[in-house]
Amino acid sequence: KAGVTQTPRYLIKTRGQQVTLSCSPISGHRSVSWYQQTPGQGLQFLFEYFSETQRNKGNFPGRFSGRQFSNSRSEMNVSTLELGDSALYLCASRGGGGTEAFFGQGTRLTVV
Amino acid sequence: QKEVEQNSGPLSVPEGAIASLNCTYSDRGSQSFFWYRQYSGKSPELIMFIYSNGDKEDGRFTAQLNKASQYVSLLIRDSQPSDSATYLCAVNDREYGNKLVFGAGTILRVKS
């Protein structure tokens, strides 16, 4: 059974650019959540998508957005990148509420 | 603001010993609890998922949940150097469906 797949694994972008990250959840899972991990803030919740609808959103600026497609694959976009956006971005796949959450390998974003 | 607290460590134990990791949470109504292991530079890996009071065992790992006292712990028996990692405690935020609130993590070092 395939796990959670995130692409790309590494990205280097310049301040002011935008970036799109992709996440393919475990087959059959309809919930995809995105998290940002930094050494100073730990793991912070960005947003969750379920059946193509954003259900929840964390405390991040509007530069962070996402969407989910009918096959449950999800993308997140960060516009007007700032140095502070450098982080490991993780997506978590779940089958439903109250079930296990499995993470992908993450995308390491570096903003220079 | 829902919170999950963990001792950052490092917790150092000799090889073969029992490592005990603890976590407390602020939301008395929380129902699902997770332990993740994260190696440096890698994504979190799910070790245990527990939602009922008491103990849940899986191989060398035992999760213990006490909802009345609002704590969850992870015991690692026969600790191995390969267990050296950061252990993250996460709690499902019931107001936000599938949002997980993470502690800052405890660094475990197993010395051979």
Side-chain angles (χ1 to χ4, degrees):
Chain A
K1 189 174 184 181
V4 184
T5 303
Q6 289 188 247
T7 57
R9 293 289 310 281
Y10 303 93
L11 269 176
I12 299 176
K13 290 288 188 178
T14 304
R15 275 182 302 174
Q17 287 186 313
Q18 73 167 12
V19 66
T20 299
L21 312 181
S22 178
C23 172
S24 293
I26 292 170
S27 178
H29 284 189
R30 292 194 294 167
S31 169
V32 174
S33 297
W34 289 88
Y35 294 82
Q36 180 195 66
Q37 187 175 33
T38 59
Q41 298 298 316
L43 270 154
Q44 300 291 317
F45 172 78
L46 281 156
F47 30 65
E48 183 213 356
Y49 286 87
F50 185 89
S51 294
E52 302 179 65
T53 301
Q54 185 183 90
R55 289 207 296 192
N56 311 300
K57 191 176 192 304
N59 188 26
F60 279 83
R63 301 184 296 107
F64 291 82
S65 63
R67 59 178 175 170
Q68 187 179 34
F69 302 95
S70 59
N71 62 357
S72 293
R73 189 178 71 85
S74 177
E75 290 181 346
M76 70 163 281
N77 184 77
V78 189
S79 62
T80 319
L81 284 165
E82 300 176 359
L83 295 178
D85 297 332
S86 295
L88 179 65
Y89 288 88
L90 295 158
C91 81
S93 167
R94 294 181 82 169
T99 62
E100 294 95 329
F102 299 95
F103 283 92
Q105 293 178 297
T107 295
R108 174 77 61 185
L109 172 64
T110 301
V111 182
V112 297
Chain B
Q1 178 77 2
K2 298 178 178 66
E3 295 181 344
V4 177
E5 299 288 338
Q6 293 183 257
N7 188 321
S8 62
L11 172 66
S12 293
V13 300
E15 184 175 357
I18 296 175
S20 178
L21 305 163
N22 300 310
C23 169
T24 59
Y25 57 93
S26 63
D27 183 5
R28 181 172 290 279
S30 297
Q31 298 179 341
S32 303
F33 307 86
F34 306 77
W35 281 102
Y36 289 89
R37 176 176 63 196
Q38 186 173 27
Y39 294 112
S40 181
K42 303 295 185 181
S43 66
E45 173 192 8
L46 181 65
I47 297 175
M48 295 291 284
F49 164 60
I50 186 168
Y51 56 89
S52 298
N53 264 335
D55 296 358
K56 179 181 179 181
E57 186 174 317
D58 184 359
R60 296 186 297 112
F61 299 96
T62 299
Q64 299 175 317
L65 175 60
N66 185 321
K67 290 185 177 181
S69 299
Q70 295 176 237
Y71 82 79
V72 57
S73 61
L74 179 70
L75 301 178
I76 306 175
R77 291 181 300 281
D78 188 25
S79 295
Q80 301 297 309
S82 59
D83 294 326
S84 298
T86 297
Y87 289 80
L88 298 162
C89 173
V91 177
N92 204 105
D93 185 337
R94 63 189 176 127
E95 289 188 51
Y96 285 91
N98 287 336
K99 173 186 176 181
L100 296 180
V101 180
F102 284 85
T106 298
I107 297 170
L108 173 66
R109 293 179 181 157
V110 181
K111 297 182 177 181
S112 57

